Structures are given as structure tokens and as C-alpha cells.
Amino acid sequence: MRDIAIVSFVQSDCVRDAGARNEVELIMPVVRKVLDNVGLESAQNVDFTCSGSCDYLQGAAFAFVLGVDALGAVPPIKESHVEMDAAWALYEAVLKIQSGQAESALLYGFGKSSPGELPIVLSQQLDPYYLAPLWLDTVSSAALQARAMLDSGEITEREMAEVVARSRKNAKSNPHAQLKGDVSADELLNEPTYLSPLRKHDCCPVSDGACAMVIATVEQAKKWGKPYAVLKGIDHRIESAHFGARDLTKSPSTEAAAKAAGVANGPIDIAEIYAPFSHQEIILKKALGLGDDTVINPSGGVLAGNLMMASGLSRIGEVAMRIINGECKRGVAHATSGHALQQNLVAVLEGA
Amino acid sequence: MSDANKEALEPITGIESPVYLDYNFTAGQATARFLTKVKEGKLVGQRCPSCRNVYIPPRGACAACGVATNEEVELPHKATVQSFTIVYIPIPGNPIKPPYVIANLVVDGANISFLHLLSECKNEDVRIGMRVEAKWKDPSEWGFAMENIQYFAPIDEPDVPAEEIGRLKDA
Amino acid sequence: MAELAAVVGIGQTKYQTKHKDVSIAGLVRDAAFKALQDAELTWDDIDAVIVGKAPDMFEGMVMPELYLTDALGCNGKPMLRVHTAGSVGGSTAIVAASYVQSGMFKRILTVTYEKQSESNAMWALSNAQPFSPHLNAGAGGFFAPIIREYMRRTQASPEAGIKVAVKDRLHGARNPLAHLQLPNITMKEVEESPMLWEPLRFLESCPSSDGACALVISNEELAKQSPKKPAWIRGTAMRSEPTMYAGREEVSPRAGIDCAKDVYAQAGVTNPRKDFDCAEVYVPFSWYEPMWLENLGFAEKGEGWKMTLEGATSLDDNGDIPWNCSGGVLSSNPIGASGMIRFAEAARQVRGDAGDHQVDGAKLALGHAYGGGAQFFAMWVVGSEKA
Ligand SMILES: [Zn+2]
């Protein structure tokens, strides 16, 4: 894979309810800022634009169509959309650049989950004949997974609480985080269970917001004269939709993606992992092959704020910005989709 | 074979599995401001700071320029028919009887059309360029909705040439 | 630079109002399996799967590719889901091609589908939005005023729309997969069919269908080893513009013009009417044939309707540039797949594998899709030769 430069990344605050703001009003500020950072006027100044969103979050078909209003797409632009997290929009843009059809791309993801009941909306991702009619929501399927982890002895409830405590602590330095603060594992373990064995704090909050990124070939980034991080590898894999066909305590799709993306080709300083539930961070850390010398989720991760359809791209952006700022040399970012970590994407980033 | 067995062998080709999801829609800031004015019987659009075109209903952005719009412009209640269709099928949940006219209307001073009903004339007399005016419901019925205007009706003014409808005039 | 990519397998289900014989998974698997059979491959030969479809609300499933991975043999592989409104079938084929063109994948499977009979699509498209007047009378209500404006500008004979409705159904009667089978349709029958959205009549509008379409796309090396003739992808292009903006040209959108120019330049097409042997173009309402003839540069401005009336686009009239030999969207319309069917049918033509609707000796063909308020465009050019 040809090196790709991540030049600019912007994320909005994670808020529980963005109120009256619609899609365009959510997208426009982050798109404006990410373009300004590179000194670009509009989507006209990049070769390709791609976004990620999900109609069902806000309950309106073609939600992404309005997003085009935020781009300045007159004259018309080369543009595409995935009904997935925007991390996969990045993947589509990477293919375009690899094939020589583009030198630069604008990416954005947005989610307004507050209008609906997110876990219940996502129950309709399941097999429509057997599982969706049972309304098995995402918290329940994660609870099944956590139970399998605990029963197999892979984790303890204390380890889960420690993940949450660290997330809240790390999020204190993240201005966009929704949940942050100092709380001990002991205090967390005193909380009642919500959906056993999960406690409320084991689950990510529901957030509204958006993020945007500009990438380019290394040559183009140099022409712009902006600092950048290098995307060295990216890969994604999916697993069966049937819980019974999977070992929920492991993430073979993450393992395969990590291998293909080249995670093991060097030491990893930081990792931003898209783990909406505390126990999933432990599964993913193992699947990514990360040791204790890797700093996990320095931003607080999605337990501190989860922008559906944008959080995956945000993980990659978080790592990129820390590399650009000189906080670290090599990092890994991860995105997930579906119930109980069904689909996973892994990206490896390095300094220029 | 007993009747019960026959029934058991009837192939199942589908199940009913209704999906109920509740949403609290939000209008968006620009639409919310627009509808607040519509409740007062006013049509207020927004002007693009960049290309100066006026959007109504405003959507918070000029889609051509990709910039936010803020400047409000109150517009008259007269409009021109940019195009139209005569619909022969009922709208689900709407009492209006087909055939009825749905027109793309450009309000005077605006540079974009919106859809609304056209009435008080023979369907075959409707034409592109025709001048019309909003017929508001009784103020007691006004809410946060474009339905405050019951429909648009023709007025006795000369037609506007098609090329001029909705075009930005040099100020 | 870009790897060459080619279509080496094509699979389509029969298009019909209701596919009660299969589940959604069964429907996509049927098309995918047929594409693999056509390419003489198995599931193991596929490196990634790219799924496309129109809004999730059509079937009431959220991100259905997550559920369809099992049916598409994708477990352990990369799965991507494209959604670009009505143009999605075309954009999905283009994204799928870029997997191979990037050099990162050797051979991929792409599938698009719609099974509207499992939900209420009219509801999904026009469920009352609380803040806009509920005047939505379906897609026809949106496009009819634009068609009226085309007719005003060009002073087109009303016969042109009727002619397209007849021509595409006669083409469809040659294609056993087409949903509508109307081999005896007449101009009079179309003219007398109920008016829905004046000037659009019932028989001038597309049906609503269940169906799926799949392609196997491979790199040059594997395409050369393929048992059947490949369709070489000679160019791909996409363009988007906003739904509404001041001064927007709606009859002949600039996004369509720009997209065509881009894809023609890649394929070395300078005179589309002469250079192409046929075209599969997204025509859901009859009048969009003359409108797209002009938008895509097959006819001079204002002359598209004359070309249609002269029979230039008809197989039965021995036209010089047949459009929609498969019957087009007017004969089959599983929305999410409709764009890919255009792309697939263009490929069938240059592979010489289009059965009774084959254009003799077709060497170069255009596949076209559009969506939203005629604002999203996707096109590809396929050829029997690499260049
Ligand atoms: Zn403007």
C-alpha cells in the first residue's frame, strides 16, 4: 500500500442531545474547520469526498443527502457515501488514492442518535426473521458477551471497572468528552448492575456530533506544506451475524485485520480502540496483540462519548493528531460495527 | 391425510414483524425560525452572504456555496409558477381529492422554489409563468406549519417569462 | 497507477413484484451464486464483498449487510456497504471496481438488491416529516414538473414519452429476467393508461420489483484466465450536487454532464452516439430517455425527443444506438439494484452474452445510474477490448 498522509482532523463535542441542530448544522462546523486547517476553501479543492452515516439514527430516509448541502458542491463534486461508520468512508477514499483516481480526499461522519432510542434502533441490525422480532438490543448482546467473558475466566468485573476508571480519567484532558472525572474501580463496583453483568458505566453514552478529516498522498501533503501523520496500513473484516456461530470472547476479525494492517511490524505507543462496552476493550487489546507498554485510549475512548457513525473515524483522527503533535511515533486505531464486535477495522499510523 | 396435517404442510412464505420505533424529530435551527414566522403569518427566507440568493424555506445553508445563511428576508405572499404537475392519485392521509395541482412556486424575491397546492382555477388553465398568491387559513388555525397556507390561487397579473422566474436581479 | 479491472461474472435474479420463494438473504445469495457460476468460481475465490442498496427503510433493516455476510460467504473477509440513493447500484459497482483498481484486491464480489415487498416502500419514501407539508405523492410527483419544463423548452411531441414506454417494454419482452412482460404493448395502450402525475401516465412509469444483481470483478491477470469473455472496465465516474440550490438546472443537471464528460475522456469516447454500440441508462419515467439523450451528449440540446421518435434507440427499429436493450428500469425496478443492472447489462452486451436482446457485435457500452433529485450520478464504460 502506498503511504497516505492524514493532514487534518476535527471532531465536535460529544453531547447527549444536539437540540435543534439538523444534519447540515452538525456537519458544517467540522467540515469548515477541517478545511480551514489545510487552507482549503471547500470540497472543490479535494479530489474526492466520502461520508458515513445511518438513516435509522434520526429516523429519516436519505439523511446523508442533506449533508451535501454543507460542502459547496457546485460545480458538482466526486462524492460517495457508506451506510457505515466513516472509518469505512476513509477506506473507500484509500482505495481511490491507491488506484491513482484521487490525490486528496475529504471525509466526514455524523450521527444524531438523540431523536431515537439507540440500542433499540440497532436491534433492527439483526437477522430480520429470527432475532430482530425479539428486539435484542445492543446492550443486551454486549451483556451476553460480557457474561461469556466472565464465565470463561478471561476477565473479572474489577478489570471492567478499571477500564472505565481509566477512560474517565483520560477523558479529563479531552475537551470533546461527554463523561470524564476521577472515579475509582471500587466506587464503580459499588454501582448496581443495569443489564447483568453490565453496569451503566460499562456502556458508552449516547452522543450527537460529527467529525471530519482531510487525507492526501504524501506528495500532495508536502505541497500543502502541512504536517501530517502517515497511514501505513488499513484493513477490515466481518464475522458471522449469528451469535451462536461465534466465540464471543474473542475477536478473530480484529486479529485478521491487525495482521493485514501490519500492527506487529513495530512497537505501538498508543491505541485508540472503539470499544462501546468496557469488556470489549479487553477483547480488542488482546486481538490487536497490544502489550502493557501501549497507552490505551488516551482520549478516553468511546466510553467517554460515542458519536455513532463518526467514532471510528475519530479513533483514527485521535491517533493521527497525537502523532502530528509529537506525543507518539506509532499508533493503532480501531473501529467497530454491528452487535458484539461483529465487524472491525484496524489502521496503523506512523510519523512522517 | 387429515386436514390438520395439510395445514401443517402449507408453506410459510412470510411472517408479520412490525417495527415500532419512536423518534423525537428536530426541525433544525433555520427551519425552526422559519416556522415560528409562518405561525405569525409571515414568510421569512434567508439570504446567502456569498452569492446573495434568497432561500425559502431556509435550510440554514446555501447549498451552492456551502456556507451558513443568517440574514433574514421577509418576502411578499405572491409567487410565480415555475412548473407543476396535476396529480391523479391521493396523498396518503391527506383529504384533498384528485386531480389536484402541485406546483413548484417561486415567491417574489426568492431564488428557489417550493412545492405547494394550487387551487381556485381550472387545472387545464395552470401554466408555467402564471402569477399566484397565498391563501392563508384563518389565523385561529395557524400552527408551526406551511399548511397555514391552504393553497395558492391565481391573481390577475401578466405571466412571467420562464427564463426570468427565480433569477437573481441586479440590486 | 490503476490496475485494469474487468467484469468476469454476472448474476441476476428474476425481477418480479414479490419474491415469496426466498428470504432477503436467499435473494442476494441467488444473484451472487449465479455470478460465481458465470465466472466458474467458488466463494473461496473472492477476496472482499461490496454490498449496495437504497434506504434501509425499504426493508426495515438497519445496515443489512451485517446480516447478509453469512449468505454472501463474506465471514473473515472485508465487507463494505454503499448507499448513494437511487444511483447506488452504479456507485457500488464503481466502488467495487476500485478495490481491484487499487491493486489491493485481486477479485471481489459485489451485490445490490431490493426486496420492497417485505416492507412498505411508499411509506419509507414519504412518511410524514413533521416540518414540511405532506404533499409527497411519490417520486413521480417530484419529477413530473421537471419533465413538463423539458417539454415546454423543446416543444416536444407528447408521442416521445409514449414511444419510450412502448420501446422499453418491447425490449423487456426479449429479456426473460425482466419484470414486466408486455410483448403486445401499443402506443394506444400507453396513451390510454391512467394519468398519474400529469404529464406522466401509469405505463410511462417504472414498476416496483424484488430482485438482486451481482458482479464478480477481477484484475487483468485473473480476467485473462477467466473461461468466459471479460468486460473490461474502461472508465468510471461519479458526480454529486445538492438537491436544491438557487439557479440549479434541473432538466439537464450539470452533475450528469460533468460525469459523462469524465467517463468519456477515460474511455476515449468523443462522439457517444457513434462510439458506443449501445447504452443502459437509468430511465424510470419514459421522458427521461430524451432528457438523458441530451444530458449525455447523444443528441443536441432540444433534439433528444426527435431521436427517440425516429427509433434511433430501438432494437426493433434497427436503431443505430439502442438504449436499454434489457428493458431498462421501465421494465424492472428493484431500486437498490437498478443501477447495477444497467452496469451489468452493459457488460453483458460487450461480452456478447445478452441473449435475445444482444446488439450484434457490441464492443463498447455505457452503464448509467442516477438518484436523489437527479443529483447523484454514476457511470461506467465497458468494452470487449482492454483499450
Ligand atoms: Zn450562496
Side-chain angles (χ1 to χ4, degrees), chain B residues 42-93:
Chain B
K42 292 176 184 163
L43 295 176
V44 180
Q46 288 187 350
R47 192 190 309 276
C48 172
S50 175
C51 68
R52 307 300 292 159
N53 282 298
V54 173
Y55 285 83
I56 184 164
R59 305 209 292 180
C62 171
C65 303
V67 300
T69 53
N70 283 312
E71 185 193 338
E72 297 197 328
V73 192
E74 185 170 350
L75 298 170
H77 299 185
K78 289 183 180 180
T80 306
V81 176
Q82 188 180 45
S83 193
F84 64 98
T85 179
I86 305 169
V87 185
Y88 287 79
I89 49 177
I91 303 172

Side-chain angles (χ1 to χ4, degrees), chain A residues 19-20 25 28 56-57 69 112 115, chain B residues 23-24 26 28-30 59 61 66:
Chain A
E25 290 160 348
M28 197 172 266
Y56 261 101
L57 294 188
D69 286 4
K112 196 172 181 200
Chain B
Y23 291 96
N24 290 309
T26 45
Q29 286 166 336
R59 305 209 292 180

Side-chain angles (χ1 to χ4, degrees), chain A residues 19-22 24-25 28 56-59 66 69-74 112 115-116 120-121 124 129 133 135, chain B residues 15 17-32 59-68:
Chain A
R21 277 180 288 165
N22 64 16
V24 185
E25 290 160 348
M28 197 172 266
Y56 261 101
L57 294 188
Q58 52 269 68
L66 284 175
D69 286 4
L71 304 176
V74 179
K112 196 172 181 200
I120 293 172
V121 170
Q124 301 304 302
Y129 307 103
W135 298 93
Chain B
I15 54 165
S17 172
V19 176
Y20 303 103
L21 295 169
D22 286 327
Y23 291 96
N24 290 309
F25 280 108
T26 45
Q29 286 166 336
T31 309
R59 305 209 292 180
C62 171
C65 303
V67 300

